Amino acid sequence: MTIEEISALDLDPERFIAEQVDAISSAVGDGLAINALSGGVDSSAVTMLGHRALGERLKTYFVDNGLMREGEGERTVGPFRELGVHVELVEAQDRFLDALEGITDPEEKREAITRTFYAEVFRDLVRESSARYLLQGTILTDVDETVAGIKRQHNVLEQLGIDPEEAFGYQIIEPLIQLRKDGVRKVAEALGLPASVSNRMPFPGPALSARVIGEATRERIALVRQATAITETELADTPSFQYMAILHEDRVTGMRDGRREFGLQIEVRCWDSVDARTATPTRLPWDVLQKLSDRIVTEVPGVVSVTYNIATKPPSAMEVV
Amino acid sequence: MTIEEISALDLDPERFIAEQVDAISSAVGDGLAINALSGGVDSSAVTMLGHRALGERLKTYFVDNGLMREGEGERTVGPFRELGVHVELVEAQDRFLDALEGITDPEEKREAITRTFYAEVFRDLVRESSARYLLQGTILTDVDETVAGIKRQHNVLEQLGIDPEEAFGYQIIEPLIQLRKDGVRKVAEALGLPASVSNRMPFPGPALSARVIGEATRERIALVRQATAITETELADTPSFQYMAILHEDRVTGMRDGRREFGLQIEVRCWDSVDARTATPTRLPWDVLQKLSDRIVTEVPGVVSVTYNIATKPPSAMEVV
């Protein structure tokens, strides 16, 4: 099946919304649908489209996987409460963190999170709700990157060897599959979502586990969560495409109270980019970098060293693992 | 025994040189002395003092431990050849690299190098030469830092449980023990050593093995040697106190030819400092950082990411391990 792209330039957001709301209504009929809201612009737009089409017959879940940033739950659910859309919070921290125990390989970490999400947590929600339709925020770039072997985001269930209809008895609906990110942002805006959602900085599916090199233990996730909060506060005013803090596994020498101490290192990345295909490090003011580093070594326990990424993509990637 | 400090301000280099040359002559009499030249300003000044006092009765060795920077042997021996001082090159690469095999702990790495140097390579040279006196470039800061437990540079033989007189039958002479680095630089200059020696940037005793996090294999030393050469070329014009390239053990995601690749990361540090007790990162021009990063990812095999240290000392240390 070929997917016909709708470029952001050609997109009429109101017409697109009306068509997708109709399509969801016809497909689901008087049944139930469910979807998972991550807080990203794709799943947020899908939530609004599904809500317009189905009202209370769409069950939207926000799964707290224990890998979220500080305040992420409220930051995600709040805007929907304002718009009269109910989002149910699912507390699943231990299921994910237990699944990550002992895993250091980046691919295996990603696999453990995907499997826990789809084959455990979300499967249970589908069964409980007896929904027959699943709304997903897949966009055209996800399809491209899956085909190219870069990402494994599209049709994750099939990649795990699971046929969703056979296994769970549900069908997948992907209302955004003809759009790219810039188109989705226009649709999100037209759906009444605030700029904090429609222009949200990209954040990876595996969340903070992608910001930890090596094992994503509870302790290490807590440390990178603190460094992330500091980084996002200090860089909030920069117009960069994306910024992040990464906890390294390597130990480096530090000095505390005149004594040698092998401590932790945080790497900060801040990218200038148009479409994430290529990217260059933002030339941040040195005063900003110094304050950022000072806060991280002072506030995050055990951190004695902070670096700033100066390589371009390619050959770097934007995320570290 | 209390050591009386001679500050750089109070130092009369010519008088100091005359006194130390006399002291070495009287101590050694018509015997033989040996010393090891590393290329640093301390051992270079000691070599010149010993040469003035003893002429051919001082045997000076440059030990190539396989952990040297590109061109380090010639850069070290060349200025002495110009001054008519013979330095004997000792090829001991395999002895050090074999001793480092399988060691990842920074303290154990340092210990393996010290032990190989003193208890093996240098012991053999002492025995062959039948010298009874060893000239060492210990300075007052080394003594301070050893007392404070920060370094283990002073009287390394005793720290290894070796009494040099009993074990090897030789005595240690330390002509620079009353000076600090700035005093040594003045003495080195007065001894006719070129600025490339008297103002040489500090470089650690364990050499490039201190610039590799984790095991210092032949392959990893070769990679950090390349990154070091690029860094020293690109930053040659900066008036910074010290700059360096460090090979991390952590693997990070890169992209080559549109495909994901887990590659290597190089960290660059460039310090502004007066006395190495405290230090801040040099605010290098962004064009310099970008060219440095571009060269490293292009020329050093497998490197996909480069960072620049932005933390101060303390709580960072200047060297990474």
Side-chain angles (χ1 to χ4, degrees):
Chain A
M1 188 190 85
T2 323
I3 303 164
E4 199 183 325
E5 177 172 356
I6 305 173
S7 75
L9 210 68
D10 293 336
L11 176 71
D12 175 344
E14 296 299 343
R15 195 179 132 195
F16 179 86
I17 291 167
E19 283 172 3
Q20 293 305 322
V21 166
D22 274 356
I24 296 169
S25 291
S26 326
V28 178
D30 56 4
L32 290 175
I34 76 166
N35 80 309
L37 173 68
S38 72
V41 63
D42 303 338
S43 67
S44 295
V46 163
T47 300
M48 288 307 294
L49 289 172
H51 180 77
R52 288 214 184 166
L54 308 172
E56 296 292 310
R57 286 183 295 115
L58 174 71
K59 303 287 169 208
T60 298
Y61 298 96
F62 175 80
V63 177
D64 187 340
N65 56 14
L67 306 169
M68 299 290 170
R69 287 171 291 184
E70 221 172 276
E72 186 120 42
E74 180 49 32
R75 203 162 52 236
T76 302
V77 171
F80 288 92
R81 194 170 44 229
E82 298 279 312
L83 292 163
V85 180
H86 175 71
V87 177
E88 194 162 325
L89 179 68
V90 181
E91 305 271 4
Q93 292 94 326
D94 283 337
R95 294 175 80 166
F96 286 90
L97 290 164
D98 289 349
L100 284 165
E101 219 176 279
I103 300 179
T104 56
D105 180 82
E107 288 294 346
E108 288 174 26
K109 271 160 57 171
R110 212 172 285 125
E111 168 111 13
I113 292 165
T114 307
R115 185 174 290 278
T116 304
F117 188 83
Y118 285 101
E120 294 187 28
V121 178
F122 209 62
R123 184 198 55 187
D124 292 353
L125 294 174
V126 172
R127 285 186 179 161
E128 284 165 27
S129 70
S130 62
R132 306 291 299 267
Y133 297 90
L134 168 62
L135 269 54
Q136 263 189 349
T138 319
I139 66 172
L140 196 50
T141 314
D142 299 330
V143 181
D144 289 348
E145 293 188 343
T146 307
V147 172
I150 297 166
K151 247 185 213 168
R152 25 177 296 165
Q153 216 159 345
H154 185 55
N155 280 338
V156 274
L157 293 166
E158 284 178 20
Q159 284 178 14
L160 291 171
I162 301 166
D163 177 327
E165 277 211 70
E166 196 183 293
F168 310 133
Y170 65 59
Q171 283 194 307
I172 292 178
I173 301 174
E174 295 172 318
L176 307 177
I177 199 131
Q178 294 171 276
L179 304 181
R180 299 203 182 265
K181 197 66 99 181
D182 46 1
V184 178
R185 293 197 197 283
K186 283 174 83 171
V187 169
E189 211 177 338
L191 283 163
L193 286 163
S196 62
V197 177
S198 63
N199 291 322
R200 201 183 81 136
M201 187 165 74
F203 189 66
L208 293 177
S209 81
R211 301 287 169 78
V212 162
I213 299 181
E215 192 181 350
T217 63
R218 284 162 172 82
E219 293 70 27
R220 292 170 63 73
I221 289 293
L223 292 173
V224 86
R225 182 178 289 125
Q226 274 185 276
T228 300
I230 294 167
T231 303
E232 293 192 350
T233 303
E234 294 301 326
L235 301 186
D237 291 337
T238 170
S240 300
F241 184 87
Q242 193 182 14
Y243 35 86
M244 64 188 78
I246 298 149
L247 175 62
H248 279 235
E249 191 167 27
D250 285 338
R251 291 269 167 170
V252 300
T253 307
M255 306 284 299
R256 296 249 193 221
D257 310 317
R259 293 257 149 211
R260 185 188 289 266
E261 171 193 319
F262 288 104
L264 302 171
Q265 185 177 71
I266 292 284
E267 175 187 345
V268 174
R269 296 183 176 192
C270 182
W271 295 108
D272 290 339
S273 179
V274 173
D275 58 8
R277 283 183 228 200
T278 64
T280 54
T282 304
R283 296 182 168 198
L284 290 170
W286 286 101
D287 286 343
V288 170
L289 287 172
Q290 192 187 318
K291 186 171 176 215
L292 183 56
S293 168
D294 287 350
R295 283 197 61 193
I296 290 172
V297 297
T298 307
E299 297 174 35
V300 187
V303 174
V304 298
S305 175
V306 182
T307 62
Y308 185 65
N309 169 68
I310 58 169
T312 56
K313 171 184 180 177
S316 181
M318 293 178 81
E319 297 283 345
V320 75
V321 289
Chain B
M1 188 191 84
T2 324
I3 303 163
E4 199 183 325
E5 176 171 358
I6 304 172
S7 74
L9 210 68
D10 293 336
L11 176 72
D12 175 344
E14 296 299 343
R15 197 179 132 195
F16 178 87
I17 291 166
E19 284 173 2
Q20 294 305 323
V21 166
D22 274 358
I24 296 168
S25 291
S26 326
V28 178
D30 55 5
L32 290 176
I34 75 166
N35 80 311
L37 172 68
S38 71
V41 65
D42 303 338
S43 67
S44 294
V46 164
T47 300
M48 288 307 294
L49 288 172
H51 181 76
R52 287 213 186 170
L54 309 172
E56 296 292 308
R57 286 183 295 116
L58 175 70
K59 302 288 169 207
T60 298
Y61 298 97
F62 175 79
V63 177
D64 187 339
N65 55 16
L67 308 168
M68 298 291 169
R69 287 171 291 183
E70 220 172 277
E72 185 119 42
E74 181 49 34
R75 204 161 52 234
T76 302
V77 171
F80 288 92
R81 194 170 44 229
E82 298 279 312
L83 292 162
V85 180
H86 175 71
V87 177
E88 195 163 324
L89 179 68
V90 181
E91 306 271 5
Q93 293 94 325
D94 282 338
R95 293 176 81 168
F96 286 90
L97 290 165
D98 289 349
L100 284 165
E101 218 177 280
I103 301 179
T104 56
D105 180 82
E107 287 294 344
E108 288 174 29
K109 270 159 59 171
R110 212 172 284 125
E111 168 111 12
I113 292 166
T114 306
R115 186 175 289 276
T116 304
F117 187 83
Y118 284 101
E120 294 188 27
V121 178
F122 209 62
R123 185 198 54 186
D124 292 354
L125 295 173
V126 171
R127 285 188 180 159
E128 284 165 27
S129 70
S130 62
R132 307 292 299 268
Y133 298 88
L134 168 62
L135 269 54
Q136 262 189 349
T138 319
I139 66 171
L140 197 49
T141 314
D142 298 331
V143 181
D144 290 349
E145 293 188 343
T146 308
V147 172
I150 297 166
K151 246 184 214 168
R152 23 179 295 164
Q153 217 159 346
H154 185 54
N155 280 338
V156 273
L157 292 166
E158 285 178 20
Q159 284 177 14
L160 291 173
I162 300 165
D163 177 325
E165 276 211 73
E166 196 183 295
F168 310 133
Y170 65 60
Q171 284 193 304
I172 292 177
I173 301 173
E174 294 170 319
L176 307 177
I177 199 132
Q178 295 171 275
L179 305 181
R180 299 202 182 267
K181 198 65 100 182
D182 46 0
V184 178
R185 293 199 197 281
K186 283 173 82 171
V187 169
E189 210 176 337
L191 283 163
L193 286 164
S196 62
V197 176
S198 63
N199 292 321
R200 201 184 80 137
M201 187 166 74
F203 189 65
L208 292 178
S209 81
R211 301 288 169 76
V212 162
I213 299 181
E215 193 181 350
T217 62
R218 284 164 173 80
E219 292 72 25
R220 292 169 63 73
I221 290 292
L223 292 174
V224 86
R225 181 178 290 125
Q226 273 184 279
T228 299
I230 294 167
T231 303
E232 293 192 349
T233 303
E234 294 301 325
L235 301 187
D237 291 337
T238 169
S240 300
F241 184 87
Q242 194 181 13
Y243 36 85
M244 63 189 77
I246 298 150
L247 175 61
H248 279 234
E249 192 167 26
D250 285 338
R251 291 270 168 171
V252 299
T253 307
M255 305 285 298
R256 296 249 191 221
D257 311 315
R259 292 258 150 209
R260 186 188 289 267
E261 172 192 318
F262 287 105
L264 302 170
Q265 185 177 71
I266 292 284
E267 175 186 345
V268 174
R269 297 183 176 192
C270 182
W271 294 108
D272 289 340
S273 179
V274 173
D275 58 8
R277 286 183 227 199
T278 63
T280 54
T282 305
R283 296 182 169 197
L284 291 170
W286 286 101
D287 285 342
V288 170
L289 287 172
Q290 191 187 320
K291 185 171 177 214
L292 184 55
S293 167
D294 287 349
R295 282 198 60 193
I296 291 172
V297 298
T298 307
E299 297 174 34
V300 187
V303 175
V304 297
S305 175
V306 182
T307 62
Y308 184 65
N309 169 69
I310 58 168
T312 57
K313 171 183 179 178
S316 181
M318 292 178 82
E319 295 283 345
V320 75
V321 289

